[in-house]
Amino acid sequence: MCGIVGFTGSAPAAGILLDGLKRLEYRGYDSSGMALNRPEGLLCLRAVGKVCKLAEKVAAAPEELRRSCCGIAHTRWATHGAPLERNAHPHLDQSRRFAIVHNGIIENYQALRKRLTEKGCEFSSDTDSEVLAHLIAETYRGDLLAAVAAALKQVSGTYGLAVTTSLEPGRIVVARRGSPLVIGLGDGENYVASDVAALIAHTRQVIYLTDGEVASVTPEHVEIRDLDNLPVEREATGIDWDVSQAEKGEYPHFMLKEIFEQPDALANTIRGRLDFEMGTSILNGMNLSPRDLAAIPRIVIAGCGTSMHAGMVGEYYFEDIAGIPTRVEQAAEFRYRNPIIEPNTMVIPISQSGETADTLAAVREAAAKGALVTAICNVVGSTIARESGRGVYLHAGPEIGVASTKAFSCQVAVLLMMALLLGRNRRLSRTEGLALAEEIAKLPELVRQVLDRADSIRDIARRFAQYDNFFYIGRGCLHPTALEGALKLKEISYVHAEGYHAAELKHGPISLLDERHPVLALANDIPGKDKIIGNIQECIARRAPVLAVANPGDAGVRDLGCDVIEVPRSSRFIAPIPTAVALQLFAYYVAAERGCEIDQPRNLAKSVTVE
Ligand code: F6R
């Protein structure tokens, strides 16, 4: 949730660190800071608010300090301690020779703080993180790597950590447990970050640290060890994102850019994965033989937020297309409810970032119970992707906007291709499989048709932007789509929006309806439409303004006199994707009309790496 950046080389560090922080701002922030390492001492600058506030301080710092070529920096999303300057990172030890930036939570910080205070340490923040600076100073015997490893042995909790000391100019030590940390390899310079987005302007060669590892990073060397000081060999991974993918370009917001990227993102997700000869899909990353696939008795999907909603669409696919009993777990619940995992149960963690703490915990629980863990992730080399061992990447490119958009569409497309594969492995005929493969192949074009209607969706959104409460209703695969549409609206426009199964309204929520409480009904022409039309009539009878999503030329819906967002006609399995894109645009334009900070919605962070 917080972001870490570090640089060591021969170029001035401050500008590189600021640039990295700006690229990480999307993860959530309330303050930021940097420590520049020079033999004559550390320079630590911190500021509350956006990274531009820190940039102002850097610009005002004396020129000689800005020439430091090694430093660490941080954007903070407050957990322990209010968003004040004294709580912003970096934190220094008392001698001001050691600086740390930390993501995660130190669970035993109170006990450590008490012991250190009794020893005479003075703390200057309310954070859990500050203990790390004092601990490292206490354990230091001339080697920062050894000191960090020794300090971390006393710590319980999670960390992505970067440390530097004026006693060793040019050196940064990083460590990870439960919070991502990646090292970017340059020529005579090296980088560290919590997220590859901070690095891709400089290098595409990265090394991902795994839990329990510490690494020393200097301009010329990277050395990885475990906490027992044993050397670890790790190959670098190539990142295929380019810088423009991580920039807004001509779009006012990342979210809008990513909504409009969906035809290309879907094309990348689908490319080479449909087999029109056999009417199936080819998902090599699943690494399961037809015999393995046939032995899967049950599927459990785990995810959070948007990824969980995609999983809920997938539940329909696996049961309907492949006939495999499937359930979806909120990932946070997975390990606490002691789920039933039979031999060969396939557990599918879904995570755009591949770093969400709850989903990662579900992966570990599933693996411990002997499940076939098959992840769906976007970020290549992310922790969930690596620990799952098998899976399917989205290839959607970096998703920077805090509100997830293209990841949802591509997750649903992957789930559909998985269901096609499993279906063909069981009861689906070649003809049926072929028909589905052909529909999947048309997804980029269908989504393009939705985007072509963006102006009309914007006009409708402007009219509906005045309302403070919404219900979104749908049936079948469009029920989770309604949940996702409501989530999009509430997270970026702060409008209260609830998704319901359309049949559920009359079991309670309908009592809230009146002329100030609109209902957005997903009335695509798929099985269940007649029932939705009945539900719309119930809402209209309660004077609720109704906005329907429907297919072109659908007189049945238009005759009801409600506003309509048109999406192209498709089968019920395909419908969630173009419909979700229309709902993303609707939420975006409502938020824009209400003047909200779309890419950095309040209280939210892109990647939730704490439980
Ligand atoms: C909503 C959103 C979140 C994420 C959730 C899981 O727009 O982005 O609900 O979907 O935090 O994140 P990942 O998919 O990275 O595990």
Side-chain angles (χ1 to χ4, degrees):
M1 318 189 58
C2 310
I4 289 176
V5 195
F7 169 77
T8 178
S10 53
I16 293 169
L17 296 176
L18 277 176
D19 178 63
L21 290 183
K22 283 184 190 143
R23 291 177 190 278
L24 292 183
E25 260 191 321
Y26 71 89
R27 290 174 63 107
Y29 61 89
D30 48 51
S31 51
S32 58
M34 67 169 66
L36 298 169
N37 191 346
R38 307 168 320 135
E40 57 269 49
L42 299 177
L43 168 69
C44 183
L45 299 169
R46 302 186 291 188
V48 173
K50 293 194 174 193
V51 173
C52 59
K53 297 285 174 209
L54 180 66
E56 286 166 16
K57 289 200 171 175
V58 170
E63 186 62 27
E64 60 179 293
L65 295 177
R66 270 188 277 142
R67 281 204 298 267
S68 163
C69 298
C70 172
I72 55 176
H74 192 262
T75 52
R76 175 168 189 255
W77 189 87
T79 53
H80 292 63
L84 304 171
E85 189 169 320
R86 70 166 192 275
N87 291 332
H89 298 218
H91 293 292
L92 303 183
D93 76 307
Q94 217 162 319
S95 71
R96 300 187 68 80
R97 288 181 303 185
F98 295 85
I100 66 105
V101 292
H102 166 234
N103 291 350
I105 293 175
I106 303 303
E107 286 163 2
N108 59 339
Y109 84 98
Q110 281 168 316
L112 290 169
R113 186 171 172 139
K114 183 163 177 286
R115 179 180 70 70
L116 289 160
T117 308
E118 280 164 8
K119 246 184 98 183
C121 274
E122 279 177 25
F123 280 75
S124 52
S125 79
D126 313 318
T127 67
D128 55 326
S129 306
E130 190 185 344
V131 292
L132 293 169
H134 297 288
L135 271 182
I136 292 164
E138 183 187 49
T139 50
Y140 187 77
R141 304 279 179 277
D143 175 4
L144 187 60
L145 185 74
V148 171
L152 291 177
K153 282 191 162 179
Q154 302 177 48
V155 159
S156 60
T158 55
Y159 47 80
L161 176 69
V163 190
T164 195
T165 172
S166 55
L167 301 172
E168 300 183 38
R171 191 181 197 196
I172 298 171
V173 168
V174 289
R176 91 156 259 174
R177 181 159 79 200
S179 196
L181 214 299
V182 54
I183 301 169
L185 306 178
D187 189 9
E189 58 189 30
N190 286 310
Y191 303 81
V192 302
S194 50
D195 189 321
V196 286
L199 304 179
I200 50 176
H202 306 287
T203 177
R204 314 272 164 73
Q205 287 297 307
V206 302
I207 294 177
Y208 292 97
L209 278 199
T210 64
D211 280 355
E213 290 175 351
V214 227
S216 165
V217 182
T218 63
E220 302 294 343
H221 290 109
V222 172
E223 182 192 351
I224 307 175
R225 294 188 171 261
D226 65 19
L227 289 186
D228 293 322
N229 209 24
L230 295 171
V232 175
E233 290 299 322
R234 176 78 30 80
E235 292 283 308
T237 307
I239 302 292
D240 61 1
W241 296 349
D242 66 45
V243 185
S244 68
Q245 284 180 298
E247 284 168 356
K248 278 193 291 214
E250 80 244 32
Y251 289 92
H253 298 102
F254 277 112
M255 181 179 179
L256 192 63
K257 175 177 182 247
E258 287 159 8
I259 291 173
F260 273 85
E261 277 173 355
Q262 286 177 104
D264 288 343
L266 281 162
N268 288 338
T269 299
I270 294 164
R271 184 169 299 116
R273 287 172 163 170
L274 292 173
D275 177 347
F276 295 101
E277 187 58 39
M278 296 296 287
T280 186
S281 52
I282 307 160
L283 300 170
N284 293 331
M286 285 178 71
N287 205 12
L288 293 169
S289 70
R291 189 182 286 260
D292 296 332
L293 293 173
I296 295 170
R298 181 204 289 263
I299 293 173
V300 181
I301 299 173
C304 301
T306 292
S307 296
M308 179 181 70
H309 294 154
M312 291 168 77
V313 178
E315 183 178 13
Y316 283 89
Y317 295 163
F318 289 124
E319 298 205 330
D320 202 335
I321 298 171
I324 303 177
T326 303
R327 64 175 290 152
V328 180
E329 291 283 355
Q330 208 295 339
E333 204 53 40
F334 186 89
R335 67 177 155 161
Y336 296 115
R337 78 195 310 265
N338 201 11
I340 297 164
I341 304 292
E342 298 155 316
N344 299 320
T345 293
M346 183 156 78
V347 171
I348 306 179
I350 306 180
S351 175
Q352 186 287 127
S353 61
E355 302 293 348
T356 299
D358 287 324
T359 313
L360 178 58
V363 167
R364 290 177 177 160
E365 180 70 17
K369 285 188 149 61
L372 290 174
V373 184
T374 307
I376 299 178
C377 292
N378 190 34
V379 179
V380 175
S382 55
T383 311
I384 291 172
R386 279 184 287 118
E387 292 205 10
S388 299
R390 60 164 64 86
V392 183
Y393 281 120
L394 303 184
H395 300 310
E399 191 180 68
I400 311 273
V402 167
S404 188
T405 53
K406 61 180 177 175
F408 178 81
S409 306
C410 296
Q411 286 164 345
V412 172
V414 165
L415 287 160
L416 191 50
M417 289 190 286
M418 278 181 153
L420 171 60
L421 178 69
L422 286 157
R424 284 288 290 125
N425 183 256
R426 290 149 192 259
R427 61 188 192 176
L428 212 62
S429 70
R430 179 178 170 279
T431 315
E432 290 168 315
L434 200 55
L436 188 50
E438 279 167 0
E439 282 194 281
I440 296 172
K442 288 190 192 128
L443 268 169
E445 177 50 31
L446 278 187
V447 167
R448 204 164 281 124
Q449 289 173 28
V450 178
L451 298 175
D452 286 346
R453 297 188 172 105
D455 287 352
S456 88
I457 297 175
R458 186 194 55 214
D459 293 344
I460 291 174
R462 284 183 177 159
R463 276 187 277 124
F464 276 83
Q466 51 164 314
Y467 296 107
D468 293 325
N469 294 288
F470 274 79
F471 285 156
Y472 281 54
I473 58 171
R475 288 172 174 263
C477 307
L478 292 181
H479 168 226
T481 313
L483 301 184
E484 174 57 13
L487 175 61
K488 287 290 90 84
L489 188 67
K490 66 188 140 199
E491 68 182 326
I492 57 165
S493 70
Y494 317 138
V495 170
H496 173 236
E498 293 302 327
Y500 282 103
H501 191 283
E504 195 57 28
L505 269 198
K506 53 184 163 303
H507 296 286
I510 201 166
S511 65
L512 290 172
L513 292 188
D514 61 19
E515 63 282 356
R516 297 293 312 150
H517 198 307
V519 176
L520 197 156
L522 305 184
N524 309 46
D525 194 5
I526 57 175
K529 188 188 98 178
D530 293 348
K531 303 253 185 304
I532 278 275
I533 289 197
N535 301 132
I536 292 176
Q537 278 162 334
E538 290 157 9
C539 299
I540 291 174
R542 271 87 188 167
R543 303 188 312 282
V546 174
L547 173 57
V549 173
N551 300 135
D554 194 330
V557 178
R558 289 198 179 268
D559 288 350
L560 298 170
C562 47
D563 283 287
V564 173
I565 293 177
E566 283 188 353
V567 297
R569 203 167 283 278
S570 67
S571 77
R572 68 189 192 285
F573 295 134
I574 296 292
I577 295 178
T579 305
V581 174
L583 299 183
Q584 293 162 1
L585 282 171
F586 178 74
Y588 175 84
Y589 288 124
V590 169
E593 183 68 14
R594 291 172 76 102
C596 300
E597 283 217 47
I598 293 177
D599 277 338
Q600 286 142 352
R602 70 181 179 217
N603 304 338
L604 289 182
K606 180 70 180 160
S607 184
V608 184
T609 51
V610 292
E611 265 192 78

